[in-house]
Amino acid sequence: MSAAVLKELSGLIEHRIKPLQIPVEDPEVFVPPPNVIMTPCDPWPRPYYMEDGLRKVHPYHFTYNTYCKERWRGREILDIFATEFRDRPQAYYKDAIECGRVVINGQKVSSIREIVKNGDIISHTLHRHEPPVTAESIGIVHEDNDMIVINKPAGVPVHPAGRYNYNSIVEIMRAERGLGWNPLPCNRLDRLTSGVMFIGKHAKAAEKLTDQIMARTVKKEYVARVIGEFPEGDVICDQPVMQISPKLGLNRARASGKDAKTIFKRLAYYPPNVTANGREPKLEDNRSEKEKIRDSKMEWKAKEGYSIVRCLPLTGRTHQLRVHLQFLGHPISNDPIYCNQRVFGPSLAAGDALSDNDEDIISRLSKMGKSEAAEAMAYHDEMMEEYNKRKAEKMTGELCAICDTPLYSDPGPHELGIYLHARRYACQDGNWAYETPLPVWALPPPGMDGPADTTTETDPMALVDESGGVRMDQTKSNGHRTAEEERTKPLWVMPG
């Protein structure tokens, strides 16, 4: 075979048989997280001062950093701030973006129409003005090596949120016990609610109790003061609850909402204008004809006096007790949302689970606290006299000399909390129970007789069995449902 032929064959073999080629992956490149702005300082000791019965905080600079939420993806930066955050007007956020106080990934944006993407970090640096809270101290119900059980004052949020940071339970306790101390709340109470809270001293203890509460093996009892004469006997409300505005934290009774159930039992009823000798004084009616016609259209006006009611929630929906009491026609008498006829109209949404006026209610509520006081108009205990209307927290028309932020007046006494108190928490198997005395507003008024403590006869926990369900072996004459009534029950039941 000639050399030329061998060379040709060799070329063909090389062409047909190629060496095995193993793909080489590009090395993984570490992508650092986006740049963020850091708060200029974290003042210690905290800048608290006490004035007029209030705990106040000197204004300070602060930076919020947050990752883009799923619902923000693909939206303009100004649209996010204008719709998601309530405490400042849109003009403020527009100026903050254009001046670089609001940045994305540490960089000033080119336009207020900048689109926010998944993974972006939004930073907002501002001169922070915190609202005052009560100067009342945080009561200690029990303390051991694992846990602190506190009596939370009304009007103080648990965690830093919204306009509140240092004026929160977590930060106040940290300021009292040292910068390195890390309080771990195990249960949640609304800002306006007072009562029993559990603070873990270490993660293991906090996790154990939190798991018990989430598993619904902890019984909770609240006390509320509501308008009118609440019925005697056991009142069970299992109207579902739905959140209709995440921005305002507004909830309503809705058949399409989440399952919710509460047992109510009246502790006391106090009629209006009763003197020490038990006689009702005759009061001169100085209302004009126009005012009489107006009042005749307000259904809650016919509900005289107030009741102290024990409340046992079997589920834990946001604002569940406040919504259920409103639905039953006996809202908490100083509730600035659910007992506010400027928001819900003359009926205060009693028995209303079907109306389609959510947008109107949201619009009216959003105006509260801006140009007018966020007042509950259905007060029956003389909390809404002109003095308190003048003292209510609202914009003063003045601006901060440093940042031009609109300034609020101090809150009035009626805005520091509502008549809702978490009185008792008890382990279902009986291993532990913690409770507080009745709050002052639940005690008998001067010159009148009434319970100064809860009684066995008015204990709603007696209706709950070991599994956490409602006992159905009682008769209707006792105000309880029978098994047959439970199967055919309406959404809410009143005895009689």
Side-chain angles (χ1 to χ4, degrees), residues 113 116 130 177 198 206 239 265 274 276 326 423 463 479:
R113 298 186 179 277
V116 176
E130 290 197 40
R177 295 183 177 237
F198 297 87
Q239 177 68 39
K265 206 158 188 175
V274 176
Q326 180 197 47
R423 180 186 164 273
L463 282 112

Side-chain angles (χ1 to χ4, degrees), residues 256-273:
S256 57
K258 294 182 179 179
D259 291 343
K261 179 179 283 190
T262 312
I263 303 172
F264 299 100
K265 206 158 188 175
R266 192 177 90 186
L267 177 64
Y269 168 64
Y270 300 106
N273 303 321

Side-chain angles (χ1 to χ4, degrees), residues 2-3 59 78 93 114 116 128 131 134 142 149 176 184 193 195-196 203 213 240 277 292 345 366 376 383 390 397 434:
S2 65
L78 179 59
Y93 293 118
E114 182 86 9
V116 176
R128 190 164 185 169
T134 177
H142 169 81
V149 184
E176 292 174 348
L184 302 170
T193 306
V196 174
I213 295 173
N277 60 12
K292 291 178 181 178
S366 68
M383 289 286 289
R390 292 194 302 269
Y434 301 102

Side-chain angles (χ1 to χ4, degrees), residues 72 86 91 197 344 436 454 487:
W72 297 355
R86 183 189 177 204
M197 273 200 65
F344 285 97
T436 71
T454 54
R487 286 192 293 272

Side-chain angles (χ1 to χ4, degrees), residues 162-307:
R163 295 167 62 201
Y164 299 86
N165 181 27
Y166 296 136
N167 265 348
S168 61
I169 293 294
V170 166
E171 290 298 334
I172 292 171
M173 293 189 73
R174 196 194 315 276
E176 292 174 348
R177 295 183 177 237
L179 180 60
W181 192 70
N182 186 33
L184 302 170
C186 304
N187 63 316
R188 182 191 66 187
L189 291 180
D190 291 339
R191 177 178 67 86
L192 296 175
T193 306
S194 59
V196 174
M197 273 200 65
F198 297 87
I199 307 294
K201 288 186 173 181
H202 54 83
K204 186 176 180 180
E207 183 179 353
K208 181 179 178 181
L209 184 57
T210 300
D211 288 345
Q212 289 186 60
I213 295 173
M214 296 298 292
R216 298 185 182 177
T217 61
V218 175
K219 298 178 182 179
K220 299 173 281 187
E221 182 200 332
Y222 290 71
V223 177
R225 177 168 159 173
V226 305
I227 64 172
E229 185 174 2
F230 198 85
E232 293 183 302
D234 307 310
V235 177
I236 301 174
C237 181
D238 41 17
Q239 177 68 39
V241 174
M242 173 182 285
Q243 185 176 71
I244 65 170
S245 174
K247 179 179 178 181
L248 299 178
L250 181 63
N251 298 267
R252 295 197 72 181
R254 282 289 179 267
S256 57
K258 294 182 179 179
D259 291 343
K261 179 179 283 190
T262 312
I263 303 172
F264 299 100
K265 206 158 188 175
R266 192 177 90 186
L267 177 64
Y269 168 64
Y270 300 106
N273 303 321
V274 176
T275 61
N277 60 12
R279 297 179 180 176
E280 185 171 345
K282 293 183 179 180
L283 300 177
E284 184 179 356
D285 190 349
N286 295 318
R287 294 177 300 170
S288 66
E289 287 301 317
K290 183 177 180 180
E291 289 172 332
K292 291 178 181 178
I293 295 174
R294 178 203 64 190
D295 292 349
S296 69
K297 298 178 181 179
M298 301 177 188
E299 298 173 24
W300 55 266
K301 284 276 188 181
K303 295 174 181 174
E304 297 183 329
Y306 65 88
S307 301

Side-chain angles (χ1 to χ4, degrees), residues 20-26:
L20 180 64
Q21 296 181 354
I22 301 175
V24 179
E25 296 183 359
D26 294 333

Side-chain angles (χ1 to χ4, degrees), residues 220-222 230 233-238 260-266 309-315 320-321 324-325 328 458-465 468-472 479-481:
K220 299 173 281 187
E221 182 200 332
Y222 290 71
F230 198 85
D234 307 310
V235 177
I236 301 174
C237 181
D238 41 17
K261 179 179 283 190
T262 312
I263 303 172
F264 299 100
K265 206 158 188 175
R266 192 177 90 186
V309 180
R310 299 175 72 174
C311 318
L312 181 65
L314 301 182
T315 52
Q320 175 177 318
L321 300 179
H324 276 178
L325 287 166
L328 294 175
T458 61
D459 188 358
M461 287 192 180
L463 282 112
V464 181
D465 58 27
V470 180
R471 296 183 189 276
M472 287 298 134
H480 303 188
R481 295 195 196 121

